Amino acid sequence: MSKQQDNILTVDGLSISYGSFNAVQNVSFSVRRGEIFGLLGPNGAGKTSTLSAVEGLLKPQAGTILVDGNNAVSKPLHARASLGVQLQSTSFQPELFVIEVLQLYAGVYGVPASKADLMGILREINLEDSAMKKFGELSGGQQQRVSLVIATIHNPKLVLLDEPTTGLDPQSRRQLWERIEAIRERGHAVLLTTHSMEEAESVCDRIAIIDHGRVIAVDTPQGMIDKHRDDPEVIAVSRRGRITLEDVFIALTGKAIRS
Amino acid sequence: METSIPKISTVLKTLLRADFTTQWRNRRAVVLTLIVPVVILALWKVFVEKMGGPFVLSNSITIGLVATGLMGYSNSIARDRDKGIFQRLRVAPLPSWTIMGSRIIVQIVMILLITTFVFIIGKQYDGITLTPLAYVLTYFTALVGGVVYLSIGQMIVGRIQNPETVNSASRFIYFIFIMSGMLGEMYINEVGKTIHDIIVWSPYGTVKTILAAGMEPAKWNNNASMALLATLGYTVVCTTLGIKWFKWNTK
Ligand SMILES: Nc1ncnc2c1ncn2[C@@H]1O[C@H](COP(=O)(O)OP(=O)(O)OP(=O)(O)O)[C@@H](O)[C@H]1O
Ligand SMILES: [Mg+2]
């Protein structure tokens, strides 16, 4: 297998601007098949913008994006067919019942699914009893579970998750990570963003740190820690006696809070 | 595992099912849009003798079409865009036009339903009947008229992002149309010729003209043809601008 085929996603020289503001500048990274890849960065770093370009929601000013070999700009439908997506803020038609939302997305992804199949999917996430509730009537964690099964309803080769654990209780978080790891076990890849360095450290195979629209480091979490453990900035912010990914992250991106 | 793009027919069928379900669950709002047309049929019963059935029917249908196309359509699009519902659909492997296409088909069915509803009430309550040809022609002119209001609705959601502003803007235009329709017609002498002409050649007036003309095919004249052309012209302009300005997200 060539290197290109090893990668389910290749982002090369990506630049995105909103008006005159350059949100993403010359970003390059790739996600390998079967890995969990974390995109980390402070608020406003450009994570969601990068994902939006991969999803085809916005046209980049420059750069190439290949999803399973399909150019996201010139062959958007092919690229999106390999993608499962959970947006940072997802909403479904508030008039529809949960089961109908599932039916809608099974349909638009071309997955033949009977009502019984869909009930089976809901059973797997312990929401069988909520089939006839409206999406808005679910709790945040329940909504999150529904939007994750929708993201994976067509068994996509690459799943994009934008801050999937935000707002979840410890139980739901744990369960979510198990689901994400199950995707990896099926040989599929996950590209996610999170603000939890602890989670990224324990779950991600590789991470990229992005700041002010630029990638400043790509490595395994351990590799990144090892590489920077002797930096004076890292030692200065370290608080627990041992160096964590969070220490490296703060040292690399600075202590200031972002607007 | 093979990655394949779902068939357009499957996608459209699925979207249509969801959009019709949504419309059905909002049926109370739809009933509200029928109130003014019914009020016209009720209050204007006295005019049937003097002005003729087509006059009353065409006003009633026009108001119904304005309510559904201009207000119902634009508000639902503005809301769904603001909630990010379109963005979630657009990351699926479907062409964007199918999302709007499905919405428009639902609206076209609404146009036909409203027209049928006014026909029925008009016959039952006001005793207005048309010839079979006139009914067929009126369905056609109602479609043409309904679509011009959809295109104006599209222009509103193209220009305005905020759902509340879309709501007030569409209400405002609806109000203007009702007022001009009711008053302009009744008080031709008082409003003066210029204002009267503006009303007659506005998208309100032209739709009313073609509807009324379609109800009496024998009387279809040059004026009606001009009104039809004007309606189509408004549709082309508003659709073009509405699509050109339209953004799928509010951010
Ligand atoms: N539609 C838009 N118009 C203008 N500016 C935007 C738009 N979307 C994002 N931005 C700006 O681009 C920058 C990157 O935003 P983005 O949403 O990609 O950040 P992020 O890394 O996902 O942040 P967070 O962790 O807060 O979700 C920010 O400065 C943001 O203000
Ligand atoms: Mg974000």
Side-chain angles (χ1 to χ4, degrees):
Chain A
M1 239 190 208
S2 75
K3 193 131 201 315
Q4 188 63 53
Q5 283 171 325
D6 273 351
N7 293 335
I8 182 69
L9 172 69
T10 314
V11 173
D12 189 25
L14 180 70
S15 295
I16 298 167
S17 42
Y18 300 103
S20 60
F21 174 69
N22 300 317
V24 173
Q25 302 173 55
N26 198 22
V27 160
S28 302
F29 66 94
S30 51
V31 178
R32 298 174 192 149
R33 288 172 201 277
E35 81 172 343
I36 300 177
F37 189 97
L39 195 56
L40 314 181
N43 290 140
K47 305 180 293 297
T48 299
S49 302
T50 302
L51 295 185
S52 299
V54 175
E55 291 148 2
L57 287 181
L58 52 82
K59 295 252 175 301
Q61 266 59 44
T64 335
I65 298 167
L66 295 178
V67 182
D68 199 18
N70 294 306
N71 190 307
V73 174
S74 60
K75 286 176 96 183
L77 297 190
H78 287 86
R80 281 187 227 143
S82 311
L83 282 185
V85 179
Q86 184 180 352
L87 299 175
Q88 187 164 1
S89 50
T90 291
S91 184
F92 303 107
Q93 282 89 324
E95 290 88 354
L96 298 181
F97 296 126
V98 170
I99 188 90
E100 292 168 338
V101 174
L102 247 57
Q103 204 168 29
L104 167 63
Y105 280 91
V108 296
Y109 280 101
V111 179
S114 67
K115 204 127 197 177
D117 296 337
L118 298 175
M119 285 308 283
I121 292 176
L122 284 177
R123 196 174 313 124
E124 276 171 38
I125 55 170
N126 298 325
L127 283 178
E128 206 182 359
D129 296 340
S130 302
M132 295 304 282
K133 279 188 184 168
K134 307 271 170 72
F135 184 76
E137 293 166 0
L138 302 180
S139 77
Q142 293 170 333
Q143 292 189 350
Q144 205 281 338
R145 272 184 268 164
V146 171
S147 65
L148 184 68
V149 291
I150 286 174
T152 52
I153 202 160
H154 56 304
N155 198 15
K157 294 175 187 168
L158 174 62
V159 183
L160 306 183
L161 306 172
D162 202 350
E163 298 193 24
T165 54
T166 303
L168 294 189
D169 65 20
Q171 286 83 352
S172 312
R173 244 167 220 266
R174 183 65 61 82
Q175 210 189 43
L176 176 69
W177 287 118
E178 282 165 11
R179 291 184 195 287
I180 292 174
E181 283 171 339
I183 298 172
R184 172 170 60 187
E185 272 152 34
R186 288 202 295 270
H188 294 175
V190 178
L191 168 57
L192 57 86
T193 75
T194 175
H195 289 296
S196 164
M197 297 302 128
E198 243 176 309
E199 290 174 350
E201 189 176 339
S202 68
V203 185
C204 293
D205 298 302
R206 289 192 307 139
I207 51 175
I209 294 181
I210 175 169
D211 194 15
H212 299 297
R214 295 176 189 277
V215 172
I216 53 179
V218 183
D219 207 336
T220 61
Q222 197 54 48
M224 205 167 290
I225 295 169
D226 290 344
K227 189 170 168 201
H228 294 281
R229 67 166 63 252
D230 296 327
D231 292 3
E233 296 91 343
V234 174
I235 292 166
V237 297
S238 151
R239 301 194 304 158
R240 297 175 200 163
R242 86 185 173 89
I243 308 288
T244 63
L245 184 61
E246 183 159 302
D247 300 328
V248 176
F249 178 85
I250 290 178
L252 289 178
T253 57
K255 274 187 172 172
I257 292 173
R258 300 309 158 83
S259 60
Chain B
M1 216 204 83
E2 250 316 286
T3 314
S4 57
I5 304 174
K7 286 214 300 260
I8 295 282
S9 57
T10 315
V11 167
L12 262 180
K13 215 172 73 191
T14 314
L15 288 171
L16 279 170
R17 168 153 53 180
D19 289 340
F20 273 113
T21 307
T22 303
Q23 187 76 10
W24 173 246
R25 302 251 158 88
N26 284 327
R27 56 190 178 277
R28 280 184 53 195
V30 173
V31 168
L32 284 177
T33 65
L34 292 175
I35 287 180
V36 180
V38 169
V39 167
I40 290 179
L41 290 176
L43 293 185
W44 290 15
K45 192 175 179 179
V46 291
F47 295 136
V48 175
E49 276 289 288
K50 206 173 88 193
M51 315 279 281
F55 171 78
V56 175
L57 278 193
S58 62
N59 269 295
S60 175
I61 294 176
T62 306
I63 287 295
L65 297 181
V66 175
T68 183
L70 207 143
M71 291 210 299
Y73 174 74
S74 63
N75 282 318
S76 77
I77 298 289
R79 185 206 69 174
D80 289 357
R81 171 173 61 186
D82 194 56
K83 284 180 175 285
I85 290 168
F86 290 141
Q87 292 298 72
R88 182 59 194 83
L89 279 171
R90 285 178 69 229
V91 299
L94 46 77
S96 295
W97 66 260
T98 55
I99 301 175
M100 280 303 171
S102 165
R103 299 287 176 119
I104 303 268
I105 290 172
V106 172
Q107 289 300 321
I108 285 177
V109 170
M110 290 307 300
I111 290 169
L112 298 177
L113 283 178
I114 287 171
T115 309
T116 308
F117 175 80
V118 172
F119 282 159
I120 292 173
I121 305 286
K123 179 163 186 270
Q124 298 296 336
Y125 185 78
D126 299 322
I128 306 169
T129 51
L130 306 176
T131 66
L133 172 67
Y135 277 121
V136 173
L137 259 179
T138 306
Y139 275 115
F140 170 75
T141 49
L143 269 181
V144 173
V147 169
V148 76
Y149 299 135
L150 286 177
S151 74
I152 297 175
Q154 181 68 37
M155 199 168 72
I156 295 173
V157 284
R159 195 75 282 200
I160 304 170
Q161 302 289 322
N162 184 311
E164 263 113 64
T165 320
V166 167
N167 189 18
S168 32
S170 61
R171 266 168 202 274
F172 177 72
I173 299 178
Y174 176 68
F175 179 74
I176 298 270
F177 279 2
I178 290 190
M179 293 315 281
S180 58
M182 304 244 174
L183 303 180
E185 202 72 50
M186 308 270 154
Y187 303 96
I188 295 175
N189 297 327
E190 287 82 348
V191 296
K193 173 131 178 39
T194 315
I195 293 185
H196 182 251
D197 282 351
I198 291 176
I199 292 171
V200 167
W201 292 103
S202 73
Y204 179 89
T206 59
V207 169
K208 213 183 52 82
T209 303
I210 59 172
L211 278 167
M215 291 172 192
E216 292 173 296
K219 290 192 192 163
W220 187 287
N221 54 18
N222 206 20
N223 204 36
S225 301
M226 290 304 291
L228 178 62
L229 275 182
T231 308
L232 294 173
Y234 285 130
T235 307
V236 170
V237 172
C238 295
T239 306
T240 310
L241 290 177
I243 290 176
K244 188 174 157 221
W245 289 335
F246 188 73
K247 290 206 189 69
W248 286 97
N249 65 339
T250 40
K251 252 190 87 182

